Amino acid sequence: MDDATVVYVHGNGNKVRKELLKAQWDRALFGTDMGAASRMAYWAPVRYATPLPDDEPDPLSGGPPPPIRGLPDPGVPRTPEEFIEQTLREARRKAGPALGRRSAQAGEEQLANWLAKMTYSAETLGRAEDAAPAPASSDLAEALPLPLFMRAPVFELLVKLTFEDVYAYFFGGVGEAMREVVRGELAGVHDGPLCVLGHSLGSVIAYEVLREERREVALFVSVGSPLGITEVQDRLAHPPAVPVGVAAWSNVSDLRDLVALDHWLRPEYEPPGLVTDHLVRNDSDNHHGIAQYLRSAPVQQELPTLFGRVASDLAE
């Protein structure tokens, strides 16, 4: 299908500039630049004033965590409970007063419950991965009197930035601006089969837009998505259901992905026959990295098949 188009919706955290981010996703998924056959719904400027430098890795890409240098600052939380409270407090501050505290407090307790689940899961996962043989460079981390989730800063960063952006989406008055970015990219697609691929919070934004638009979509792909989380479902504008017009929905996650703690969308989103849940191995350090999801077997089998000649022609 040489007239197919894929619209990407990126996930949490700041990103490199739009053109470079699209090219990175193209190469991870198709092995080549897809040109006009792919579009990036680039909502990062809604939350972040300037993009990351071109040579700076995405902090949520799943790369190696920064080295531990000495003892932690006194302001660093020492327990998961302190981390939860500090993260919630920071999310409130960064979200700003757009909706007012009273409005946010009416529902933030539910979302904070998801934060707690992610944090405790991070500690459990850190314990499991700590049990594996580690190189000598980890000796310093082992010697520090830190809880396990703090000894794995890649998990801490994933939980913190994910929660802050999701909180801002639901309570910070920026959700509509994020959705408008996705609407704008979809409006630029006029012909041929359409695929929408959302990562992390991007899958939530894409889902809500598709619920409103009733757009004909050959394939909706969610990777590392929190759409299975009850606390997230309760904040959606409409009850969970496959968006009208979506012919097939493929949901892909790693069991160790802290953002996608509930991996089964099929029982929640009717009609269930249109949803397929896939479990994959995402071996990025935080098990949430987008490149690893784009290279996973279910995504590789479905997207290139949908695009057919486009990918093969561009690769020549």
Side-chain angles (χ1 to χ4, degrees), residues 36-96:
S38 67
R39 305 173 69 96
M40 175 61 71
Y42 186 70
W43 58 262
V46 175
R47 287 274 291 152
Y48 304 94
T50 57
L52 295 174
D54 286 2
D55 59 351
E56 183 172 329
D58 184 337
L60 295 185
S61 68
I68 297 173
R69 302 184 187 280
L71 292 173
D73 182 270
V76 172
R78 303 295 297 241
T79 68
E81 291 74 23
E82 289 178 11
F83 174 76
I84 292 165
E85 178 54 36
Q86 186 181 90
T87 301
L88 181 57
R89 185 168 58 248
E90 188 71 2
R92 288 173 184 149
R93 184 185 68 80
K94 290 183 177 179

Side-chain angles (χ1 to χ4, degrees), residues 122-199:
E123 189 176 36
T124 301
L125 184 56
R127 183 179 298 111
E129 298 195 348
D130 248 20
S137 61
S138 69
D139 291 348
L140 175 59
E142 289 296 321
L144 293 177
L146 294 173
L148 284 164
F149 82 98
M150 289 295 296
R151 296 215 307 272
V154 69
F155 293 150
E156 178 202 358
L157 186 64
L158 175 65
V159 173
K160 185 175 186 295
L161 290 185
T162 294
F163 183 77
E164 286 181 0
D165 276 353
V166 172
Y167 186 96
Y169 177 76
F170 287 120
F171 300 122
V174 297
E176 177 58 23
M178 292 177 177
R179 291 189 292 273
E180 187 57 31
V181 172
V182 177
R183 293 189 196 107
E185 293 299 335
L186 290 176
V189 180
H190 303 290
D191 301 304
L194 170 64
C195 172
V196 178
L197 193 160
H199 177 223

Side-chain angles (χ1 to χ4, degrees), residues 18 20 26 29-31 44 54 64 90 105 137 167 177 181 190 193-194 210 215 218 229 243 246 280 282-283 291 313:
K18 179 178 180 178
L20 178 56
D26 279 349
L29 179 54
F30 295 102
D54 286 2
E90 188 71 2
Q105 286 172 352
S137 61
Y167 186 96
V181 172
H190 303 290
L194 170 64
L210 294 178
R215 182 75 183 259
I229 307 299
V246 171
V280 301
N282 184 319
D283 285 329
D313 289 349

